[in-house]
Amino acid sequence: MTTALMPFAAEPPVINEAATAFMLIASSMVLLMTPGLALFYGGMTRSKSVLNMMMMSFGALAAVGIIYVLWGYSMSFGNLQDGTSDIAGIFANPFHLFGLGDLTGPDGPRLIDPFGVGVFIPEYIYVGFQLTFAVITVALISGAIADRVKFSTWMTFAVIWVTIVYFPLAHMVWGGGLLSGSENGLSAKLFGATDGVANVLPIDFAGGTVVHINAGAAGLALALVVGKRLGFGKVAMRPHNLPLVMIGAGLLWFGWFGFNAGSELAADGVASAVWLNTTVATCAAAIGWLLVEKVRDGHPTSLGAASGVVAGLVAITPACGALSPVGSIILGVVAGGLSALAVGLKYKFGYDDSLDVVGVHLVAGLWGTIGAGLLATSTGLFYGGGWDQLVLQILIALISLVLSLVLTYAIAMGLKATLGWRISEDEESEGIDQTEHAESAYEIGGFAASSGRSTTHRPAVPAEQAEGANA
């Protein structure tokens, strides 16, 4: 007689400590980006508005951090590990992993292999990494409505917007939804699929659609609903602290390596290429912005350098894993030049995008997403890949833009009719820091500091020129 052979039990997953350490560092770097953004935006406002501007970033961090744990992760990625179905490819069940209770078992936090390659990390750190993306996206929007909105309405907006707009779009792009490379996604329907994967994969490595097009379109919608600041286009509203702006840009640049390289989820060759591509694209964008300033205005500015840095970071975000270093330089220099030109559109069309969320994040985000279809080394049009990738990139960019714009406009109009957006004209004139927070950023300047009037004497410049530099 022979004994029937029993199958061996599957080996339990083992945590990859190197990848986990890498993700802990990357997540912490991305978290630093929101305080960095607060400095960047705070320096660009007038002195009577700096605290409110920074509070809008910190408020987003506080609110979205809680919401993401409660239902945000479940809506975005709750179906991936468990194989459950989503809702029409738009979002996953918000109650499936509500509060993350199911991520901890008797042996500790559940492990996840996001790419299916045998590299396991605790799902908790994947949650934390994605949490920081949601936070910075909401905070980015605040720059479009500086100086003039109720803090309570902003906080309410953050909760509603991240739930209705951000979580579904994150699921559609990264969670196996309609804009992903899944067999049920848009790309598979257009170009076919093989073994459950679309033949043409959408390129959005770290958030060109989910973060930057999304935030830029939302900023445009809010600017249209909220209306213009007092004196917009008539009074020069110069940044009150340019060193603060440059410090903020430096912190954003540093944190962005966690944003982009961290999206590889492992310290490997791809992450190394992403790091280099991010660096050179950002350098090129700063040069591109400064060249436009020199030709157009006669002077390259520190604000232009800082703004060019951010434009380059935005543009390379979706494409950083698909381009060569030379392609990244091309992408970056175009992004810097385009954004430098685009910040003046608000004067032409009459919307008050205070800190140029539209001119930088929307424009550079669109260019980075679409540019990947041109410059991707494997499938880009310029590398002989044909038109399919470019067509797909244009479609996912436009769908993200329209989705965010329409939904944000509807949310903003609802809040306008209920809570109201604007502080009073007297409060805006006095300064939102005092009226909303009963605080002042600077006491040593007395009346000049609290009123927002500059204490230095500078030659008068046309309001449009002064505002046009405010990127």
Side-chain angles (χ1 to χ4, degrees), residues 252-428:
L252 285 170
W253 196 342
F254 174 77
W256 223 289
F257 291 117
F259 200 85
N260 284 1
S263 293
E264 173 61 9
L265 306 182
D268 57 16
V270 173
S272 302
V274 167
W275 193 101
L276 185 59
N277 288 344
T278 300
T279 300
V280 296
T282 306
C283 295
I287 295 296
W289 191 299
L290 293 176
L291 285 173
V292 169
E293 282 192 330
K294 178 63 177 177
V295 172
R296 182 187 61 195
D297 307 324
H299 302 283
T301 68
S302 60
L303 181 61
S307 302
V309 162
V310 175
L313 292 167
V314 170
I316 195 60
T317 291
C320 56
L323 270 60
S324 69
V326 172
S328 299
I329 292 172
I330 296 170
L331 189 85
V333 73
V334 173
L338 281 177
S339 293
L341 296 171
V343 295
L345 293 176
K346 60 186 178 183
Y347 304 108
K348 181 176 181 180
F349 295 106
Y351 61 91
D352 184 5
D353 171 24
S354 310
L355 307 183
D356 294 310
V357 179
V358 177
V360 175
H361 292 276
L362 181 56
V363 170
L366 285 169
W367 162 240
T369 301
I370 295 171
L374 299 170
L375 296 166
T377 55
S378 58
T379 58
L381 180 64
F382 291 169
Y383 286 80
W387 289 92
D388 289 357
Q389 188 73 65
L390 179 60
V391 170
L392 181 61
Q393 295 302 114
I394 293 172
L395 286 175
I396 63 174
L398 292 178
I399 291 171
S400 301
L401 168 63
V402 172
L403 180 71
S404 180
L405 186 65
V406 171
L407 290 178
T408 305
Y409 191 87
I411 295 168
M413 288 299 292
L415 290 173
K416 183 177 182 179
T418 52
L419 301 179
W421 277 102
R422 297 294 293 257
I423 60 176
S424 70
E425 291 188 0
D426 288 343
E427 290 173 332
E428 186 177 339

Side-chain angles (χ1 to χ4, degrees), residues 14 22 39 73 115 121 148 223 251-252 255 320 356 371 431:
V14 177
F22 175 74
L39 292 172
Y73 182 72
F115 294 146
I121 60 175
R148 59 199 189 274
L251 289 173
L252 285 170
C320 56
D356 294 310

